[in-house]
Amino acid sequence: MVDPTSDLEEDVDEESAPRCATCGEPALGTGRRTVTWVDGDDAVYRQFCSQACRDEWTDERPSTGG
């Protein structure tokens, strides 16, 4: 399966796809969502299979205090 959200348009099968942080299903295709943030010197991200799973996610990003 060619992942249309991949910049490289590389083949991604369900077994090697990232897993949804909410439900654990493969995060593939155009419905996939990613949340990225910086924690210290590290870039951290969570992948989601859909906007619905993204909305259900318990946000673990640190508060900016602003």
Side-chain angles (χ1 to χ4, degrees):
M1 165 180 209
V2 174
D3 183 354
T5 63
S6 171
D7 290 338
L8 302 175
E9 297 182 12
E10 59 194 39
D11 289 339
V12 178
D13 61 21
E14 286 192 19
E15 194 158 312
S16 63
R19 298 292 161 175
C20 177
T22 301
C23 72
E25 292 295 316
L28 290 169
T30 58
R32 185 180 86 196
R33 299 290 181 262
T34 304
V35 175
T36 307
W37 68 96
V38 175
D39 185 10
D41 291 335
D42 298 320
V44 183
Y45 63 92
R46 298 293 179 263
Q47 305 263 357
F48 304 94
C49 63
S50 67
Q51 184 63 44
C53 278
R54 165 52 181 105
D55 292 342
E56 291 179 26
W57 175 57
T58 302
D59 198 333
E60 62 194 85
R61 295 174 291 183
S63 175
T64 59

